[in-house]
Amino acid sequence: MPSHRRRFLAVPVAALTALAVAQAVTTVPAVAAPGTASDVSATLPARTTSVPVATDLSGSGQAVVWQQTTAADTVAHGWLAVAGGTPQDLGRLADTADTVTVHAVSVQDGVVAAATSTNPNGALADHVTLRHLDSGTEDVLPVAYDGSGAAGDERYRGQAGDGILVQQSYYDDASAYRVRLLLRTPGGTDRTLLSGDEQYEVLDSDADGALVLRRTAPGWGYEIGYVDFATGATVTVAEPTTGELPQALEFTPDHFGVVDGATLTEWQRSAPGDAPATVTLPVADARWISDDTLAWYQRNDSDASNELFAIPRDGSAAAKDLGGSFREVEVGDDGRMRTSLYRPDVDAAIQTLTDGRVSTTAGDATTIPAGLARLDALVLSGGALYTADDSSRLDGVVLRSDLTVGSSGASASTPSRVLAYSGGPVHQTLAAAGGRILVEQTDAAGAGRFQVYENGTQVGTPLDNANGSAITVADFDGTHALLSDRTTVNNGTLLLYTFADGHSQRVPAGSALSGGAVYSSERNGTTTTWSIHRTDITTGAVTTVATVNCLPGGLQVRGSRILLTTCGAATTTGLLLTAGSSATTTVDASVRTPILGTDVLYTFTKASGSAAVTLNAQSLTGTDTTAHALFTLPDRANSAAAERWTVDRDAPWAAWMDDSGVTHVTWAGVPTAAQAATTPAGFSPNGDGSSDSWTPTWTYDRPVSWTLTLKSGSTQVRSLTGTSSTGKVAPLWNGTTGTGTAAGEGAYTWTLTATDTVTGRPAADATGKVTLRRTVPAATVTAPAVASSAGTTAAVPVTWSAKTAGVKSYDIAWRVTTRNSAGAWILGPLQTWRTATTATSATFGKSGSPLKPVPGVTYRFSVRAHDDAGQTGAWSRTATTGIPLDDRATALHYTGSWKSASATAAWAGTVRTSASKGAYVSFTANGTQLRVVATKKSNGGRFAVVVDGKTVGTVNTYAAKTAYRQVVFTGTLGTTVKSHKVQLRVLAGSTSARSTVTLDGVLTTL
């Protein structure tokens, strides 16, 4: 049959070892999915694996080819390596049309054959492309395969160097149905090798000949024969009774034969017609035979795996388990055995075996380039991204990347291993919560178990399941899981499983986990209302957290928020509510089920006429509650694969994976408020060097542009703007208006608006008040000069008040004059009584007083004010109050006739009286001023005040109405503190009825 020849880039075999490919798999730059909004995002490169999937290994001399997928879920490329050189990507093994299916790839005698079909459902190839590595030419040989089996139907059976072996159906001269084996070469006529049979299966072939399994007529027995292409001669190698192959076949460049136990019957290929020789092998297990090596698989019952053993052909060394995982054993036309070797965390390789061992000779191993990891599980939790890597194979890992967002945007840490698994693939189900991951690890039959891991260590009791495909995880909180199984369909329940102790129980369908409790809904009798119950898993305590007037769909709970995925039968509307509140918000659930996260609600939209679904994130805190588009959901890799996107229900993150294996993570939150803020209450632009400007600061977690507006009432006074690459906003207002004039005193309202420059979204506004004052705050204090003027005990009422506007609080202090060790009288330090008080009066000497006032001591009070601009004024002038000595004080000495009497209204409750002319009281006065306290009455008499022997005043105590605690005498003793001798002498009354002096106390002011 004719062939089609075309040219392609020639890569001579001799030059292949000098070629180097820098990177076997090129990571495609991250491209936003259609409809993706500008946001805070980061990307994780396509994950490569050291254990790629390689199939259809074929070797010829030093050349080896294999198929390998270069990207997750894309068509296979061909790879070629020569003498251990760097693998070369041959490109797609078929036409560029997506409908082309690759069936086999092989290499013989420097020719690569790729058998393909244009029908995606085709069972066998309909053409074979032959690529000549030395000349760079390419031949396409058609195969008339139509699957009918009728005359003319052809089946590709194998490569024959630069030709192919084709099985063709036909009718013989007697119209009997037959098949024949043809050798088809480019530009030549088909040559019949075998005919008259029912079917042919090429067991092995090279450019010189082939071992063929055939059904023979007329009895349709089985026969294995060798066909020599040069001569057309055939030799029967074996005649099995069934279609099962013998134990092993030998097919090396020099020999062909069959193995039965430890006996090898072999022929020389140079003289296939000669009688065979019998060779006794050192083992009875050989399955593959090369010029120097015997190899076979041996089952390991501990992990149900098959391990490759090898031994020198002559038995000169003991059999050895080669380690790792070997597949696709092949003997090339140079007589050497090669296999694909896989070891965890070691690059996979096409490895050459020599004398029963893995060869260490340079050039004998060809590293299989790392391929893209096939991720079928993607989950976010608490700002950590977990992926199950290469979970389609028996060995793999679960990786974690920590996500952060800061002033430079989002970032993701390098993925690190948190779990290595083996013995069965991890199911598509992967969940994470509270720093723990939940995986469902199944065997080939689908049976397996759900297991929880923390920091790579299994915790709790696994949940065994007989059929993993029948169980899905509805919710997971790190300790418990809600699972849907076959029972769920029948009785409307979910299985609640506790990993700590392996306890399981049934809960209503649609339930959710949160905070160690199960949330579920229950109808209230025959009413149209439904209650949302919270059941504590540990105690079993049940509380009702909400009541709704609709049939709730599935529940989702985060903190105090509850999402009803639908609200009412046959509805596409959900309901968002808060426990303990009657307020509700409707949620669109028409496209997909919304997802409730912590402070974030995820919803889905779809444009009219489009099948693309967009994921949106709506902040549930702050002022910006708009739903913002995050990205367009990527399609599944295939109908059996998991979704390639996920959201974080505990932190505002979402992630998706593109067709190139690049994982994109997107921060789903907004800077709803500044992380920190300092906003002084006021300032005083008076040039005194203190608080002359208002300098508030706000710190956001990302770069922002901002505007600060200042208003007096509704009138805008000033507007300040700026940008911050670090997120720190620090404006300065010097108290001027927008025209440069001085702003008046008073309170101003400020509003800060900020826009996230990374996302273009508004941050939450901030607002408040600031007060501008140009005068320093001042206050005044008052107190009675003599404590007895205010009451009968040693308690001093003190009052204070503002002298300027805007005063918000006061500091009150006191001090006394004391005598030092040298005997000099000095004014003591100012001592605090009240700080930042908003009160305007207090009693010194009562509750809250620093001490009890002492008789004979003078107290001086001062006040200072704090205003609403943050200023503190100076201490005021003092108000002085003296505490009198009572008439009973020991410092008073009475001479003559004096009587003591009680008087409730008198100072300290007593008085001393005398009507005897000449009687007197004497004392020493240390101070600058003298005051005498007495009772004025209708019988009041007179007394003289004598200081240092001189009469300085006469006092008349008569009054028509009794008056207690009266300061009847005030006199100056001098300008400095000195000791003075004082006498108060009773004088003759103006009348006999007005001759009694009633003394209450005396006071010397220092």
Side-chain angles (χ1 to χ4, degrees):
M1 298 182 69
S3 67
H4 305 283
R5 173 162 293 200
R6 58 189 178 189
R7 299 288 298 179
F8 77 111
L9 180 62
V11 186
V13 172
L16 283 174
T17 55
L19 297 179
V21 177
Q23 187 172 350
V25 179
T26 301
T27 300
V28 179
V31 178
T36 299
S38 173
D39 214 312
V40 184
S41 302
T43 58
L44 281 79
R47 165 74 176 166
T48 59
T49 172
S50 62
V51 191
V53 176
T55 58
D56 292 346
L57 168 71
S58 179
S60 175
Q62 293 179 308
V64 179
V65 297
W66 66 93
Q67 292 186 60
Q68 183 178 338
T69 301
T70 57
D73 307 301
T74 62
V75 296
H77 282 215
W79 293 82
L80 167 72
V82 178
T86 302
Q88 307 299 312
D89 187 352
L90 298 179
R92 292 182 60 171
L93 292 171
D95 300 334
T96 57
D98 290 339
T99 56
V100 173
T101 302
V102 178
H103 295 285
V105 60
S106 59
V107 60
Q108 293 178 7
D109 202 19
V111 179
V112 176
T116 56
S117 63
T118 55
N119 181 352
N121 296 317
L124 290 176
D126 55 25
H127 64 283
V128 178
T129 302
L130 299 172
R131 302 185 181 188
H132 297 258
L133 299 176
D134 53 355
S135 64
T137 59
E138 185 174 281
D139 298 296
V140 179
L141 299 181
V143 179
Y145 166 69
D146 62 19
S148 66
D153 180 43
E154 296 182 342
R155 312 290 172 94
Y156 172 68
R157 289 306 185 206
Q159 183 183 3
D162 61 353
I164 61 175
L165 300 174
V166 177
Q167 174 185 299
Q168 185 183 72
S169 301
Y170 70 100
Y171 291 105
D172 62 12
D173 294 339
S175 297
Y177 178 84
R178 294 287 187 270
V179 294
R180 55 194 169 202
L181 185 66
L182 306 178
L183 175 61
R184 181 170 295 164
T185 56
T189 302
D190 290 347
R191 184 156 62 95
T192 300
L193 300 176
L194 299 170
S195 63
D197 296 330
E198 180 180 4
Q199 65 182 26
Y200 296 97
E201 191 68 37
V202 176
L203 304 178
D204 213 338
S205 66
D206 56 19
D208 300 316
L211 278 174
V212 181
L213 174 67
R214 56 189 293 196
R215 294 291 305 277
T216 58
W220 305 118
Y222 293 93
E223 181 183 280
I224 297 176
Y226 172 75
V227 181
D228 186 277
F229 296 155
T231 64
T234 63
V235 175
T236 299
V237 175
E239 294 183 274
T241 58
T242 67
E244 293 185 6
L245 295 177
Q247 171 184 314
L249 297 170
E250 180 187 28
F251 195 77
T252 69
D254 296 326
H255 298 88
F256 63 88
V258 62
V259 180
D260 183 10
T263 300
L264 166 63
T265 303
E266 71 174 7
W267 288 260
Q268 295 185 33
R269 295 183 69 174
S270 60
D274 293 348
T278 300
V279 180
T280 300
L281 302 176
V283 295
D285 301 309
R287 292 294 184 273
W288 295 273
I289 304 175
S290 70
D291 285 346
D292 61 8
T293 299
L294 307 178
W296 66 96
Y297 279 124
Q298 184 171 309
R299 180 178 176 82
N300 184 338
D301 293 331
S302 65
D303 60 4
S305 64
N306 286 320
E307 299 172 348
L308 187 66
F309 282 73
I311 189 173
R313 182 166 176 160
D314 60 7
S316 58
K320 181 180 180 181
D321 180 356
L322 299 183
S325 174
F326 286 86
R327 304 176 188 172
E328 312 298 340
V329 180
E330 178 84 9
V331 178
D333 60 11
D334 60 352
R336 306 185 73 187
M337 186 181 298
R338 294 180 179 85
T339 180
S340 53
L341 165 64
Y342 300 86
R343 290 195 183 104
D345 300 323
V346 176
D347 285 341
I350 301 298
Q351 190 72 58
T352 302
L353 304 185
T354 301
D355 287 327
R357 300 294 183 263
V358 175
S359 175
T360 58
T361 303
D364 276 353
T366 297
T367 299
I368 298 177
L372 290 183
R374 305 179 66 86
L375 306 178
D376 71 351
L378 191 70
V379 68
L380 281 165
S381 175
L385 174 69
Y386 298 89
T387 54
D389 182 3
D390 285 315
S391 53
S392 60
R393 294 199 315 276
L394 296 182
D395 302 306
V397 296
V398 175
L399 304 169
R400 167 178 172 147
S401 290
D402 292 317
L403 310 178
T404 56
V405 61
S407 59
S408 59
S411 62
S413 65
T414 301
S416 60
R417 172 183 296 182
V418 294
L419 172 65
Y421 57 85
S422 61
V426 168
H427 191 264
Q428 294 170 357
T429 299
L430 176 67
R436 293 180 172 182
I437 57 173
L438 170 66
V439 298
E440 182 183 0
Q441 194 166 348
T442 58
D443 57 22
R449 53 177 45 188
F450 287 92
Q451 300 175 122
V452 174
Y453 290 88
E454 183 174 12
N455 297 325
T457 301
Q458 181 183 320
V459 295
T461 304
L463 171 63
D464 292 327
N465 55 292
N467 188 344
S469 63
I471 299 180
T472 59
V473 177
D475 207 351
F476 175 63
D477 65 1
T479 305
H480 315 88
L482 286 176
L483 303 110
S484 173
D485 55 12
R486 286 175 173 167
T487 305
T488 301
V489 178
N490 297 325
N491 63 12
T493 63
L494 290 174
L495 178 67
L496 170 62
Y497 186 81
T498 301
F499 288 94
D501 55 11
H503 176 72
S504 62
Q505 65 185 84
R506 289 285 165 180
V507 298
S511 296
L513 295 170
S514 182
V518 176
Y519 289 78
S520 56
S521 59
E522 181 181 13
R523 186 173 183 176
N524 296 321
T526 59
T527 69
T528 58
T529 64
W530 295 73
S531 293
I532 310 299
H533 296 311
R534 178 189 187 277
T535 303
D536 188 282
I537 298 177
T538 302
T539 65
V542 179
T543 56
T544 300
V545 295
T547 302
V548 294
N549 297 317
C550 65
L551 171 63
L555 301 180
Q556 296 180 28
V557 182
R558 275 297 176 271
S560 61
R561 293 190 181 93
I562 303 171
L563 174 66
L564 281 59
T565 55
T566 57
C567 186
T571 183
T572 58
T573 300
L575 194 67
L576 181 64
L577 52 93
T578 302
S581 172
S582 60
T584 59
T585 303
T586 58
V587 179
D588 181 19
S590 60
V591 177
R592 287 200 180 192
T593 301
I595 303 172
L596 177 62
T598 301
D599 297 332
V600 180
L601 177 65
Y602 298 96
T603 56
F604 302 87
T605 54
K606 184 166 58 175
S608 177
S610 173
V613 176
T614 300
L615 174 68
N616 310 290
Q618 175 184 347
S619 175
L620 299 178
T621 61
T623 58
D624 181 19
T625 57
T626 305
H628 296 279
L630 295 183
F631 50 77
T632 299
L633 302 186
D635 295 330
R636 293 171 181 246
N638 54 62
S639 60
E643 295 277 12
R644 294 192 296 175
W645 64 272
T646 185
V647 300
D648 193 332
R649 297 188 62 197
D650 301 311
W653 290 95
W656 62 280
M657 185 185 300
D658 62 24
D659 292 337
S660 301
V662 176
T663 301
H664 305 257
V665 291
T666 298
W667 193 61
V670 295
T672 55
Q675 302 299 304
T678 302
T679 54
F683 69 116
S684 54
N686 52 21
D688 64 356
S690 175
S691 300
D692 284 329
S693 59
W694 186 52
T695 55
T697 60
W698 295 269
T699 303
Y700 289 89
D701 55 7
R702 297 206 301 276
V704 292
S705 58
W706 55 269
T707 298
L708 179 67
T709 303
L710 295 134
K711 290 183 177 181
S712 176
S714 60
T715 303
Q716 181 172 314
V717 175
R718 188 73 186 271
S719 178
L720 304 171
T721 61
T723 59
S724 172
S725 61
T726 63
K728 183 177 181 180
V729 177
L732 181 149
W733 184 33
N734 61 3
T736 60
T737 66
T739 60
T741 61
E745 284 196 336
Y748 292 83
T749 299
W750 58 264
T751 300
L752 176 71
T753 57
T755 300
D756 184 338
T757 58
V758 178
T759 65
R761 299 181 187 176
D765 293 348
T767 188
K769 290 184 181 295
V770 59
T771 302
L772 184 156
R773 297 291 176 193
R774 298 186 183 277
T775 57
V776 177
T780 183
V781 61
T782 60
V786 182
S788 58
S789 298
T792 62
T793 61
V796 183
V798 184
T799 60
W800 53 89
S801 61
K803 295 177 65 177
T804 57
V807 172
K808 295 181 62 177
S809 64
Y810 305 87
D811 297 337
I812 312 299
W814 57 277
R815 65 203 312 181
V816 296
T817 300
T818 59
R819 179 175 285 177
N820 63 15
S821 59
W825 294 91
I826 60 173
L827 190 62
L830 201 62
Q831 302 182 64
T832 301
W833 175 18
R834 298 286 180 90
T835 300
T837 179
T838 57
T840 56
S841 64
T843 301
F844 191 77
K846 287 193 175 180
S847 177
S849 178
L851 51 76
K852 183 178 181 180
V854 178
V857 176
T858 301
Y859 296 87
R860 289 172 169 81
F861 301 98
S862 295
V863 64
R864 65 180 179 183
H866 304 286
D867 67 10
D868 51 10
Q871 299 185 97
T872 299
W875 289 103
S876 69
R877 295 182 61 179
T878 60
T880 302
T881 299
I883 311 299
L885 290 172
D886 182 44
D887 62 280
R888 294 170 293 177
T890 57
L892 302 182
H893 304 283
Y894 293 92
T895 302
S897 177
W898 291 89
K899 293 181 180 179
S900 181
S902 297
T904 303
W907 177 250
T910 63
V911 293
R912 192 69 60 97
T913 63
S914 177
S916 176
K917 179 183 177 181
Y920 64 89
V921 58
S922 60
F923 55 90
T924 299
N926 296 308
T928 60
Q929 195 172 55
L930 175 66
R931 289 183 174 86
V932 179
V933 181
T935 302
K936 300 184 85 173
K937 302 176 68 173
S938 59
N939 66 347
R942 298 181 306 139
F943 67 88
V945 180
V946 181
V947 178
D948 297 330
K950 294 182 180 180
T951 300
V952 297
T954 301
V955 178
N956 188 351
T957 62
Y958 167 79
K961 187 176 180 180
T962 302
Y964 293 97
R965 306 186 315 279
Q966 299 298 301
V967 178
V968 295
F969 175 82
T970 300
T972 301
L973 299 176
T975 58
T976 59
V977 178
K978 293 182 179 180
S979 295
H980 302 275
K981 300 298 184 180
V982 180
Q983 288 184 350
L984 304 180
R985 290 180 174 273
V986 179
L987 301 176
S990 57
T991 66
S992 59
R994 298 178 181 178
S995 59
T996 302
V997 174
T998 305
L999 181 65
D1000 204 354
V1002 297
L1003 172 65
T1004 304
T1005 304
L1006 295 175

